Amino acid sequence: MKQTKKLTRPYSKPSMVKLGGPLYAKHGAASNNSVPVRTSISKVPVSELAQKFGSPLFVFSEDAIRNAFTNYTEVFKRFYPKMVFGWSYKTNYLKAICAIFHEEGAIAEVVSDFEYEKARALGVPGEQIIFNGPYKPKAALKRAIEEGAVIHVDSMDEIYQIESIATEIKLTARVGLRVNMNTGVYPQWSRFGLNIESGQAMDAARRLAKAPGIDFEGIHCHIGTFMLSVQAYEIAAEKMANLFLEIESDTGIRLKYIDMGGGFPSKSHLKGVYQSPEVAVPNISEYAIAITSCLKRIFADSELPTLVLEAGRHLIDEAGFLITSVISRKLLPDARRAYVLDAGVNLLYTSTWYRPVFELDGDEGSFLEPAVLFGPLCMNIDVVDNSLMLPPLRVGKRLVLSPVGAYNVTQWMQFIQYRPAVVLVRKNGKVDLIRHKESLEAVENLEVLPEDLQQKQATVLGFKSRNVS
Ligand SMILES: *Cc1c(COP(=O)(O)O)cnc(C)c1O
């Protein structure tokens, strides 16, 4: 019989790879075909973070958060004297993150009873909370009225409900009116609040102006998210200012504020946008000028209303990173290289619409081949990236994804895998754990196993081991 030669290295099937990338010019290939490298986050080595806290790992930079907030608020304050800044909880409501924004002077913008409770538990007083959203349960409305939060009504039904609660508890509710409008950006966000062009917003304003138990304080819009159009804000500001004045002339009530919501983009790559974020994303000062110059022009002869903003994404996206590692490699039947990572779409909800930058923790050379990145889920849809040019990566090789600070640590799922730890690199370089990696106990905490189903498993399982008699 033929003796098989003992292999010293595991066999790997040879393959041919069609080289993509630039065409060869007469001086050879273009030399910019390398993958960006990142070996540290806020000066802390990626290897140190992963060794100490595990992989995958979400990392936030306190410096980046504070700098983003300072830059944004300074820009607006330069153009407009009466500003109030809210922090959008749903964008990232980890306590440590919210606490930083509050310390910087932001009030809380919440969109549910859960977020309201979170802000209160963190010590934010009721009067420093803007309560938005299409569903505010009765108990939450009652609490918000009692605690003096500003409630932005989303529908006529909500107005009736607030009237009835406020009269019942003999208190006055602070109320703002959420409106929507055509800003030339489609699809139009017409499902929140009441529409300006159809006259519904004005009808609601008339009702609020004379409703019992209601102090009508302002108008609010939030025209979309990742809005690349500066002009849309200009149109919105103009419509808001005109509505403000129409409310005054019609009802005699001069409101206190105009809330223009959030929606300012981060330097993230929205899929389908051809240009790089550096080119496609306008500077925040362009938005500030568009909004504030419009308000200053329309209110030239009268007192300026307070301008409220509720940014989320713009302030936190670039402060967040995800460290992930290669678990295994394979070659797909179509000859593409594939890597399985320990982080997948369970942690990167936003990867459906945004393509993060993939950086390698260390240079791996410039022989690049097309690669697919899969996540760790036992689900075919768990694809982190479908077509990336990467050098050959070893098992254990770490990648750093960014910007991922907005919406991922709120929209991530507990599905199949534990959700990983989140850390914050402090100003002084110290690294603080701000959310533990999940444990079986944490995940099962809310489950209840009925008594008659306990302890029965041993007798019903039929898949016995050969070694156990
Ligand atoms: C989500 C939300 C925001 C923040 O939006 P970004 O796009 O993250 O800036 C602000 N206001 C309201 C009402 C929201 O629903």
Side-chain angles (χ1 to χ4, degrees):
M1 218 163 70
K2 216 170 110 191
Q3 183 109 32
T4 351
K5 194 178 152 216
K6 202 167 171 214
L7 294 167
T8 48
R9 292 174 60 198
Y11 175 76
S12 124
K13 191 171 165 238
S15 69
M16 285 179 79
V17 177
K18 182 180 170 216
L19 290 177
L23 289 173
Y24 282 79
K26 65 179 169 189
H27 304 294
S31 59
N32 62 347
N33 52 343
S34 63
V35 174
V37 170
R38 169 182 289 277
T39 53
S40 66
I41 297 171
S42 255
K43 303 204 182 81
V44 182
V46 169
S47 55
E48 197 179 304
L49 290 164
Q51 273 150 23
K52 187 149 179 221
F53 299 98
S55 171
L57 179 72
F58 273 103
V59 183
F60 283 87
S61 155
E62 179 179 6
D63 259 340
I65 298 172
R66 291 192 192 271
N67 290 343
F69 189 82
T70 308
N71 179 57
Y72 153 85
T73 53
E74 299 278 291
V75 165
F76 273 93
K77 284 190 281 190
R78 204 177 299 149
F79 297 110
Y80 204 83
K82 291 163 78 173
M83 295 291 314
V84 169
F85 299 99
W87 162 241
S88 156
Y89 263 48
K90 76 169 184 292
T91 312
N92 187 327
Y93 42 58
L94 290 177
K95 289 195 244 185
I97 304 289
C98 295
I100 293 174
F101 284 113
H102 295 320
E103 204 177 278
E104 291 288 338
I107 64 171
E109 185 273 328
V110 304
V111 292
S112 67
D113 55 348
F114 158 63
E115 289 188 5
Y116 187 95
E117 284 173 19
K118 229 172 172 312
R120 291 289 293 119
L122 196 58
V124 181
E127 319 94 78
Q128 306 283 311
I129 299 177
I130 295 173
F131 196 176
N132 285 323
Y135 177 43
K136 310 174 188 82
K138 187 177 177 193
L141 283 173
K142 183 164 173 275
R143 180 174 183 188
I145 297 169
E146 285 165 353
E147 296 179 341
V150 181
I151 304 165
H152 284 168
V153 294
D154 190 68
S155 65
M156 289 303 285
D157 286 320
E158 199 171 69
I159 297 178
Y160 307 145
Q161 200 182 13
I162 292 171
E163 284 174 19
S164 101
I165 299 170
T167 33
E168 187 185 310
I169 60 177
K170 298 191 175 61
L171 287 173
T172 304
R174 298 175 63 200
V175 169
L177 174 63
R178 168 116 189 217
V179 300
N180 67 68
M181 70 203 88
N182 184 355
T183 60
V185 172
Y186 304 98
Q188 201 180 316
W189 279 25
S190 55
R191 55 169 288 187
F192 302 111
L194 292 132
N195 182 257
I196 293 186
E197 292 90 1
S198 69
Q200 284 183 348
M202 198 55 217
D203 285 346
R206 287 193 194 100
R207 174 86 188 196
L208 286 172
K210 50 179 197 299
I214 283 181
D215 188 5
F216 185 18
E217 295 195 2
I219 46 177
H220 165 235
C221 67
H222 173 61
I223 58 175
T225 192
F226 203 88
M227 299 289 289
L228 293 172
S229 166
V230 171
Q231 205 200 356
Y233 283 91
E234 201 173 330
I235 294 170
E238 177 155 358
K239 292 191 176 184
M240 293 295 275
N242 289 333
L243 178 66
F244 183 102
L245 292 175
E246 196 186 336
I247 290 171
E248 183 173 21
S249 64
D250 191 288
T251 69
I253 289 186
R254 186 164 179 95
L255 301 172
K256 295 187 187 129
Y257 67 87
I258 291 178
D259 181 342
M260 293 294 298
F264 309 115
S266 60
K267 287 245 161 58
S268 189
H269 194 143
L270 182 64
K271 289 180 180 175
V273 173
Y274 173 70
Q275 292 151 320
S276 75
E278 278 63 38
V279 179
V281 177
N283 192 283
I284 192 68
S285 61
E286 295 180 45
Y287 295 90
I289 291 168
I291 295 170
T292 60
S293 55
C294 176
L295 296 184
K296 284 190 284 193
R297 171 170 53 79
I298 295 176
F299 292 99
D301 311 322
S302 62
E303 199 192 328
L304 289 173
T306 296
L307 173 58
V308 183
L309 294 176
E310 311 166 339
R313 179 190 306 281
H314 178 76
L315 299 176
I316 192 67
D317 209 14
E318 284 137 273
F321 302 81
L322 176 63
I323 300 176
T324 175
S325 312
V326 174
I327 299 165
S328 59
R329 304 162 292 180
K330 46 184 75 174
L331 200 58
L332 301 180
D334 62 9
R336 279 180 307 165
R337 188 71 67 184
Y339 297 98
V340 182
L341 304 177
D342 57 11
V345 295
N346 51 326
L347 307 182
L348 288 166
Y349 188 83
T350 61
S351 65
T352 314
W353 302 284
Y354 300 93
R355 189 178 198 204
V357 173
F358 295 82
E359 294 171 302
L360 293 175
D361 176 21
D363 195 354
E364 294 292 314
S366 58
F367 172 72
L368 304 188
E369 46 184 356
V372 188
L373 298 178
F374 294 127
L377 304 182
C378 202
M379 288 276 284
N380 196 43
I381 56 156
D382 192 16
V383 181
V384 176
D385 200 280
N386 227 329
S387 57
L388 202 60
M389 294 300 285
L390 284 177
L393 302 179
R394 297 171 281 109
V395 166
K397 184 70 193 172
R398 280 182 287 264
L399 292 90
V400 182
L401 278 53
S402 67
V404 296
Y407 294 101
N408 286 305
V409 301
T410 45
Q411 292 182 305
W412 53 359
M413 309 181 254
Q414 196 283 303
F415 177 55
I416 301 180
Q417 302 283 337
Y418 292 122
R419 284 177 289 192
V422 184
V423 298
L424 178 69
V425 180
R426 307 304 307 271
K427 280 164 88 77
N428 59 11
K430 218 176 121 249
V431 183
D432 282 335
L433 182 69
I434 60 171
R435 195 179 195 270
H436 287 280
K437 180 185 171 175
E438 279 172 348
S439 61
L440 183 63
E441 196 193 355
V443 175
E444 289 191 339
N445 204 13
L446 298 173
E447 286 187 41
V448 180
L449 183 61
E451 211 165 307
D452 65 308
L453 294 176
Q454 291 172 16
Q455 314 279 305
K456 291 274 174 66
Q457 288 83 342
T459 57
V460 294
L461 292 182
F463 196 41
K464 295 219 175 90
S465 156
R466 245 181 302 141
N467 303 325
V468 181
S469 53

